[in-house]
């Protein structure tokens, strides 16, 4: 008897869902395709994901119309922060909706592991994150005149990593929310402290030592630092590589935590 057969037989006997413990490329891609099909019929969500960061960048550019240097100094940082926020909101609400509607419970009753589900969501929203980040970066650099010393491709890389981090955080916090309203309430707890301490408003070295120490463990701080490295240096620096790896590592860690804490239904 094969391992899968034994698992399914045991599940039938005990009345528990037959889930698998290893990731499968076919199950992951099938989950991602299902999520993308659902999003295709939700134009408001697509508009939030794709258009809102671009609209916010345009608004910011003309808020500082009389001071282009100000836009140059904070535009690159916000280019990474806006995708993180929007992906966090959409992913947390979409995942919670799957659970409250019973879809998640039905899916996990099939031979579909939590890892497959989380990876499928990450893949689907990662594709949208690529589109979102590419549009926002292209708009900022080639249409809004964002002046960067380094390569725009490095800006795109950090923006994409930030969007994936937002996706991972959204998947993670959705496990602790009982309603869409509660999911939105996690933003002040998860996003706002990072926004205040990331160095966007003042250099982190100028903060109180306790706050500076806290900012050193928040991933958004390294996202902003990475954007600033591109803003100031023509070549890829060791600091940029470190910042990018930290953001990517945090996204992977949070995805693993999301898989571990994912619940089938809302209590």
């Amino acid at each position: 008897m094969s391992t899968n057969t034994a698992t399914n037989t045991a599940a039938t006997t005990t009345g528990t869902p037959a889930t698998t413990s290893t990731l499968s490329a076919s199950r992951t891609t099938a989950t991602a395709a299902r999520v993308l099909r659902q999003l295709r019929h939700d134009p408001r969500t697509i508009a939030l994901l794709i258009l809102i960061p671009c609209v916010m960048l345009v608004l910011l550019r003309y808020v500082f119309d009389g001071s282009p240097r100000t836009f140059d100094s904070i535009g690159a940082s916000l280019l990474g922060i806006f995708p993180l926020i929007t992906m966090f909101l959409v992913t947390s609400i979409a995942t919670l909706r799957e659970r409250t509607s019973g879809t998640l419970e039905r899916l996990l009753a099939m031979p579909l592991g939590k890892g497959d589900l989380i990876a499928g969501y990450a893949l689907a929203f990662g594709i949208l994150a690529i589109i979102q980040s590419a549009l926002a970066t292209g708009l900022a650099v080639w249409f809004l005149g964002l002046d960067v010393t380094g390569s725009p491709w490095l800006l795109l890389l950090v923006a994409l990593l930030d969007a994936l981090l937002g996706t991972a955080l959204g998947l993670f916090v959705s496990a602790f929310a009982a309603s869409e309203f509660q999911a939105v309430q996690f933003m002040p707890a998860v996003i706002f402290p990072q926004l205040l301490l990331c160095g966007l408003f003042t250099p982190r070295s100028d903060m109180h030592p306790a706050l500076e120490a806290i900012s050193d463990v928040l991933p958004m701080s390294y996202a902003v630092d990475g954007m600033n490295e591109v803003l100031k240096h023509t070549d890829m620096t060791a600091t940029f590589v470190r910042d990018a790896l930290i953001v990517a590592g945090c996204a992977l860690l949070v995805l693993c935590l999301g898989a571990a804490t994912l619940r089938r239904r809302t209590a």
Side-chain angles (χ1 to χ4, degrees), residues 123-198:
L123 177 60
F125 285 104
I127 293 172
L128 292 173
I130 293 174
I131 299 172
Q132 179 196 69
S133 302
L135 287 176
T137 303
L139 176 69
V141 174
W142 288 297
F143 291 94
L144 299 180
L146 180 66
D147 186 16
V148 294
T149 302
S151 170
W153 293 106
L154 296 181
L155 283 182
L156 175 60
L157 173 61
V158 180
L160 176 59
L161 290 175
D162 289 345
L164 293 176
L165 176 61
T167 299
L169 289 171
L171 289 169
F172 176 63
V173 303
S174 67
F176 304 98
S179 66
E180 294 181 13
F181 179 67
Q182 286 187 7
V184 174
Q185 286 180 314
F186 273 105
M187 176 171 281
V190 176
I191 300 297
F192 286 0
Q194 296 193 67
L195 189 61
L196 292 174
L197 299 177
C198 68

Side-chain angles (χ1 to χ4, degrees), residues 34-35 38-46 48 89-107 117 121 125 170-171 173-175 177-184 262-266:
R34 181 186 63 81
V35 173
Q38 289 179 332
L39 289 174
R40 186 179 61 183
H41 300 292
D42 190 352
R44 288 177 296 182
T45 299
I46 293 177
L48 177 62
L89 273 175
V90 171
T91 307
S92 59
I93 292 174
T95 309
L96 180 66
R97 191 177 297 168
E98 293 269 74
R99 198 171 72 240
T100 55
S101 66
T103 302
L104 189 59
E105 186 176 7
R106 291 193 296 272
L107 288 172
L117 190 70
Y121 268 90
F125 285 104
L171 289 169
V173 303
S174 67
S179 66
E180 294 181 13
F181 179 67
Q182 286 187 7
V184 174
L262 186 67
R263 292 180 295 157
R264 290 182 172 84
R265 66 175 73 183
T266 302

Side-chain angles (χ1 to χ4, degrees), residues 184-246:
V184 174
Q185 286 180 314
F186 273 105
M187 176 171 281
V190 176
I191 300 297
F192 286 0
Q194 296 193 67
L195 189 61
L196 292 174
L197 299 177
C198 68
L200 177 64
F201 301 105
T202 186
R204 292 193 290 131
S205 58
D206 293 343
M207 297 177 184
H208 187 280
L211 295 180
E212 184 182 359
I214 294 173
S215 72
D216 287 341
V217 299
L218 298 177
M220 192 183 290
S221 300
Y222 297 95
V224 171
D225 287 350
M227 288 295 193
N228 288 333
E229 286 293 305
V230 181
L231 198 64
K232 299 173 182 177
H233 301 281
T234 56
D235 299 321
M236 183 187 298
T237 64
T239 302
F240 174 86
V241 174
R242 181 207 65 183
D243 294 336
L245 289 176
I246 289 175

Side-chain angles (χ1 to χ4, degrees), residues 70-93:
T70 304
F71 177 70
D72 290 338
S73 64
I74 67 174
S77 299
L78 291 176
L79 188 60
I81 291 173
F82 286 155
L84 191 156
I85 294 174
T86 55
M87 296 303 291
F88 172 84
L89 273 175
V90 171
T91 307
S92 59
I93 292 174

